[in-house]
Amino acid sequence: MYKAKILGTGSYLPEKLLTNQDLEKLVETTSAWITERTGIRERHITPVGQNNSDLCVQAARRALDMARLEPKDLDMILIATVSGDQTMPSTACVVQNKLGCRDIFALDVTAACSGFIYGLTIAHQFIQTGMYKNILVIGAEVLTRIVDYTDRNTCILFGDGAGAAILGRTPEGEKSEILTSHLHADGSLGNLLELPASGTAIPLTYEAIDQRLHLVKMQGKEVFKNAVRTMTICAQEALDNTGIDKGTLDWMIPHQANMRITDSVARYFEIPKEKVIINLERTGNTSSATIPIALDEAVRDGRIQRNQLILMVAFGAGLTSGSLIMRF
């Protein structure tokens, strides 16, 4: 069994911003209320003419540059998203074409905010078994096109962006590797965060659009409660499996959903705030893209160094959850 490490990271955020002050003009809210409740001050908006796949390509190219690889070197593409270009073909296939890759395995992963950890875990198995050498994993969302801007409970949260990582074999003698990962789903709670008219159960009819069923619906209080619960369970599972003491972690990268959720999880594990990588204030909740964007930013600004221990933990619609510990 081969060991697997992250060879390179990349991210991309659209230039256009939607600030809390902008939202004050759309719904009954205030900038101070949004910041106090969520920790968010601004989020990025994908302009007309730019799509999810375009964000993916930008992030992917940056990851390829860091890894010193070309698109032809990739053996597989996994894209975690709930807001792809269209239902079919998959966004992964669109990205495979736009990057100019060979005829390779390309697949979308639908696990919402846990999607990047799901994607890394899937890629890890293919690297371990020796089936593939270099796998591109991307978390990317254009959530601002499926958000209801008449609902202040949801529209204040979400933004757009993409983060990428290339997973490859760990050279002999190096310590960098994914040590463990754990994935879960509890479908009984699926109604807490959903996009009702997004498939065949509720076809996208004029009636569905009039009822705004094509936009995100969320039961915020219940989501918050289950987010804290599932993230702490998942993180503890990863620590128990590896025998790693929480005090030896160099960094925790949580899903960037709400500052109160992040603070609650960090307090539970007694992880000091200076060891938690957070960019929520500038990006909002980009779902599957939050962890890879935060990872890339911390790698590029020098906070994350090789051989450091990193815990990633997330929860999302489904309800899904996941954790992963790696020695970067």
Side-chain angles (χ1 to χ4, degrees), residues 52-97:
N52 186 306
S53 60
D54 298 312
L55 274 58
C56 288
V57 168
Q58 294 282 356
R61 285 176 175 157
R62 293 172 184 177
L64 285 165
D65 287 344
M66 184 183 290
R68 298 182 180 179
L69 295 174
E70 299 292 334
K72 63 179 177 62
D73 298 317
L74 295 174
D75 301 307
M76 179 179 179
I77 297 174
L78 287 170
I79 295 182
T81 187
V82 293
S83 55
D85 287 9
Q86 55 197 86
T87 302
M88 61 179 181
S90 69
T91 301
C93 287
V94 176
V95 171
Q96 180 264 345
N97 177 55

Side-chain angles (χ1 to χ4, degrees), residues 3-10 62-64 66-69 116-117 119-121 123-124 127 133-137 163-171 174-179 253 291-292 295-296 299-300 304-308 310 312 324-328:
K3 295 180 180 180
K5 62 177 280 190
I6 289 180
L7 305 176
T9 63
R62 293 172 184 177
L64 285 165
M66 184 183 290
R68 298 182 180 179
L69 295 174
F116 184 70
I117 294 179
L120 277 183
T121 301
H124 185 209
I127 299 293
K133 289 184 177 180
N134 301 309
I135 300 176
L136 172 62
V137 182
I166 296 174
L167 205 65
R169 292 179 184 175
T170 302
E174 287 192 14
K175 294 182 179 179
S176 298
E177 64 172 309
I178 290 177
L179 297 169
I253 309 179
I291 289 177
L295 170 67
D296 179 57
V299 168
R300 291 178 184 272
I304 290 181
Q305 300 286 327
R306 283 295 178 189
N307 297 323
Q308 289 184 332
I310 300 171
M312 300 178 181
L324 181 146
I325 294 179
M326 67 176 173
R327 187 174 293 281
F328 185 77

Side-chain angles (χ1 to χ4, degrees), residues 174-218:
E174 287 192 14
K175 294 182 179 179
S176 298
E177 64 172 309
I178 290 177
L179 297 169
T180 191
S181 61
H182 304 271
L183 307 176
H184 299 278
D186 184 354
S188 69
L189 299 173
N191 66 313
L192 299 183
L193 180 54
E194 61 179 346
L195 190 64
S198 57
T200 56
I202 303 177
L204 194 57
T205 61
Y206 288 115
E207 182 181 6
I209 293 173
D210 288 341
Q211 295 176 27
R212 308 185 79 78
L213 298 178
H214 62 303
L215 303 174
V216 171
K217 310 294 180 187
M218 182 177 70

